[in-house]
């Protein structure tokens, strides 16, 4: 358990240091996440060392954000003043993202498949 | 009532109990709209208002819960590592579609909000709306948005995507299952991913790739995208 904490907070601390010294535009937690992935990939850290705490943290992730959500009560006026802007912009944009991302990926797959079969035909000739 | 809530442990226990109940409720009913986070917030805020408890008092305990957000994002490195092989196989397709999803997500929400006359603070708070909450909160703070507003918009967007996402994609002829689940993760982050997980573990895995990669892209790119857009639009 202590080793698990050491790994998670170690990655996070390194992330904080990197942000502090490089003024990079990334949250320290994201750097920590990429670092953890890298360390797992390099097999410097074994998956079973970290699995327990990682499963707990990932599963409980939505819970940790409740206080930030409650803080909305501080911005009451702001939200009600721009209620429709917020609603239309976020829902509209979500629909656009769903469709455009889906189309793009689908289109890329079809193209690669076509290219592959073209190549195979050429070779067959 | 107020004096009980001066104790931070009471606040933590109170929040956890409500969240646990909300989670049970959703599992029992299977209704996506009954999102545990949404319900917990919808119970706590009126409660605090009715009993005249300031947010500052609630946050004495709340800050200990929020503390775990950062380690939890680091822990996302584990599922990312587990999906690495799958990502590698179609790396280019995934990266290109996620990149476009990220760009379209930020640009469209900024443009729509701007057209409707939203203020600078609101626009910046909406910009990271597609990514998972802890990342969105960090991004929002970085670019000068209002983090709590971002947090609530993110959840609402996630629930909206989970409920209507697959229907919308069916209507617009996004038929390929991988494309569907990837864009679900891109647009509706963790909430959308849990919806995909219900369909099948494969859908869930692809959605989580979408949520992680778009999270990274949004964290890296959103300050630059907004700066670029600033050349054409005055926020």
């Amino acid at each position: 358990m202590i080793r698990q904490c050491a790994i998670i907070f170690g990655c996070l601390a390194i992330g904080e240091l990197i942000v502090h010294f490089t003024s990079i535009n990334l949250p320290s937690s994201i750097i920590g996440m990429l670092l953890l992935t890298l360390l797992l990939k390099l097999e410097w850290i074994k998956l079973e060392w970290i699995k327990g705490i990682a499963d707990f943290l990932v599963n409980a992730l939505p819970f940790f954000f409740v206080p930030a959500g409650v803080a909305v009560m501080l911005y009451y006026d702001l939200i009600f003043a721009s209620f429709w802007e917020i609603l239309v912009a976020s829902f509209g944009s979500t629909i656009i993202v769903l469709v455009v991302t889906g189309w793009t990926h689908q289109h890329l797959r079809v193209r690669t498949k076509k290219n592959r079969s073209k190549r195979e035909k050429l070779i067959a000739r | 009532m107020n004096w009980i809530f001066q104790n931070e442990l009471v606040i933590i226990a109170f929040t956890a109990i409500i969240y646990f109940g909300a989670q049970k409720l959703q599992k029992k009913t299977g209704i996506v709209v009954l999102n545990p986070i949404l319900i917990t917030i919808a119970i706590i805020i009126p409660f605090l208002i009715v009993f005249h408890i300031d947010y500052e008092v609630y946050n004495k305990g709340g800050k200990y819960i929020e503390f775990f957000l950062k380690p939890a994002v680091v822990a996302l490195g584990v599922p990312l590592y587990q999906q690495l092989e799958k990502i590698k196989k179609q790396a280019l397709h995934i990266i290109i579609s996620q990149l476009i999803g990220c760009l379209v997500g930020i640009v469209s929400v900024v443009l729509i909000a701007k057209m409707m006359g939203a203020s600078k603070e609101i626009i910046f708070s909406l910009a990271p709306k597609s990514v998972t909450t802890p990342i969105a909160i960090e991004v929002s703070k970085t670019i000068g948005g209002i983090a709590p507003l971002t947090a609530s918009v993110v959840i609402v967007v996630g629930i909206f995507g989970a409920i209507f996402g697959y229907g919308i994609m069916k209507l617009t002829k996004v038929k390929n299952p991988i494309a569907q689940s990837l864009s679900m993760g891109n647009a509706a982050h963790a909430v959308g991913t849990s919806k995909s997980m219900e369909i099948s573990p494969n859908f869930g895995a692809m959605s989580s790739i979408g949520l992680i990669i778009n999270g990274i892209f949004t964290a890296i790119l959103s300050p630059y995208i907004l700066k670029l857009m600033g050349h054409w639009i005055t926020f």
Side-chain angles (χ1 to χ4, degrees):
Chain A
M1 193 63 202
I2 301 299
R3 175 162 65 184
Q4 302 193 1
C5 287
I7 293 170
I8 294 278
F9 285 101
C11 288
L12 191 53
I14 295 172
E16 295 269 340
L17 287 177
I18 291 175
V19 170
H20 183 79
F21 285 113
T22 62
S23 67
I24 191 172
N25 258 330
L26 263 182
S28 58
S29 49
I30 297 285
I31 298 173
M33 177 186 85
L34 294 173
L35 184 64
L36 180 63
T37 312
L38 181 72
L39 293 175
L40 284 164
K41 180 71 192 153
L42 293 173
E43 291 177 8
W44 291 8
I45 292 175
K46 284 191 180 134
L47 188 58
E48 60 265 28
W49 290 358
I50 188 93
K51 196 86 175 67
I53 200 172
D55 282 348
F56 162 71
L57 286 171
V58 170
N59 284 330
L61 198 128
F63 173 69
F64 300 141
F65 131 79
V66 167
V70 173
V72 156
M73 64 189 279
L74 295 174
Y75 297 93
Y76 232 44
D77 313 337
L78 197 64
I79 292 174
F80 270 94
S82 332
F83 185 74
W84 288 110
E85 289 95 306
I86 294 173
L87 202 74
V88 173
S90 55
F91 284 4
S93 168
T94 302
I95 295 173
I96 296 171
V97 173
L98 278 166
V99 176
V100 173
T101 312
W103 275 350
T104 309
H105 191 263
Q106 205 164 256
H107 181 72
L108 287 170
R109 278 175 65 88
V110 172
R111 255 185 54 174
T112 320
K113 258 188 202 160
K114 265 187 194 159
N115 283 343
R116 200 174 293 153
S117 56
K118 248 188 216 164
R119 231 179 293 143
E120 276 159 12
K121 266 181 202 163
L122 280 175
I123 294 167
R125 255 186 237 162
Chain B
M1 202 64 194
N2 218 326
W3 60 271
I4 304 177
F5 275 83
Q6 295 296 334
N7 186 318
E8 51 271 76
L9 293 173
V10 171
I11 294 168
I12 296 171
F14 172 73
T15 309
I17 291 167
I18 293 176
Y19 188 85
F20 178 72
Q23 225 175 5
K24 275 258 144 122
L25 182 73
Q26 188 181 39
K27 254 185 207 148
K28 226 173 213 173
T29 58
I31 302 170
V32 196
V33 192
L34 297 179
N35 179 280
I37 312 158
L38 193 70
I39 293 182
T40 310
I41 296 168
I43 292 173
I44 292 180
I45 291 181
F47 183 91
L48 296 180
I49 293 173
V50 167
F51 289 102
H52 301 289
I53 301 165
D54 283 340
Y55 177 75
E56 284 71 31
V57 175
Y58 174 80
N59 200 36
K60 273 186 200 163
K63 69 177 183 221
Y64 292 106
I65 300 174
E66 201 170 359
F67 168 78
F68 284 97
L69 266 182
K70 282 185 173 188
V73 175
V74 174
L76 280 176
V78 171
L80 183 61
Y81 164 72
Q82 287 171 320
Q83 312 291 352
L84 222 51
E85 284 310 307
K86 224 179 223 169
I87 300 175
K88 254 192 221 157
K89 268 187 207 153
Q90 7 189 346
L92 198 62
H93 293 172
I94 293 176
I95 289 174
I96 294 173
S97 58
Q98 291 300 311
L99 186 62
I100 290 178
C102 166
L103 291 174
V104 166
I106 297 170
V107 172
S108 63
V109 78
V110 168
L111 285 182
I112 298 173
K114 181 71 199 167
M115 278 193 298
M116 292 189 67
S119 70
K120 183 177 165 180
E121 278 174 313
I122 299 275
I123 293 175
F124 286 176
S125 308
L126 292 178
K129 59 127 192 32
S130 293
V131 295
T132 193
T133 319
I135 298 178
I137 289 178
E138 293 291 327
V139 171
S140 181
K141 281 180 192 162
T142 313
I143 59 183
I146 305 156
L149 175 59
T150 304
S152 45
V153 170
V154 162
I155 280 303
V156 174
V157 161
I159 296 169
F160 174 79
I163 299 172
F164 300 108
Y166 281 105
I168 292 167
M169 287 190 278
K170 225 170 254 167
L171 276 177
T172 50
K173 294 189 176 141
V174 179
K175 286 177 197 153
N176 182 279
I178 296 177
Q180 280 179 349
S181 41
L182 268 175
S183 55
M184 194 64 164
N186 184 300
H189 54 90
V191 187
T193 302
S194 64
K195 174 73 189 170
S196 299
M197 212 66 102
E198 278 171 25
I199 298 175
S200 89
N202 280 341
F203 272 72
M206 273 332 225
S207 280
S208 62
I209 292 173
L211 107 87
I212 291 171
I213 296 185
N214 191 26
I216 296 171
F217 276 153
T218 303
I220 299 173
L221 296 176
S222 52
Y224 300 106
I225 296 173
L226 290 173
K227 211 182 264 173
L228 259 178
M229 290 183 80
H231 287 300
W232 291 287
I233 316 167
T234 41
F235 290 118

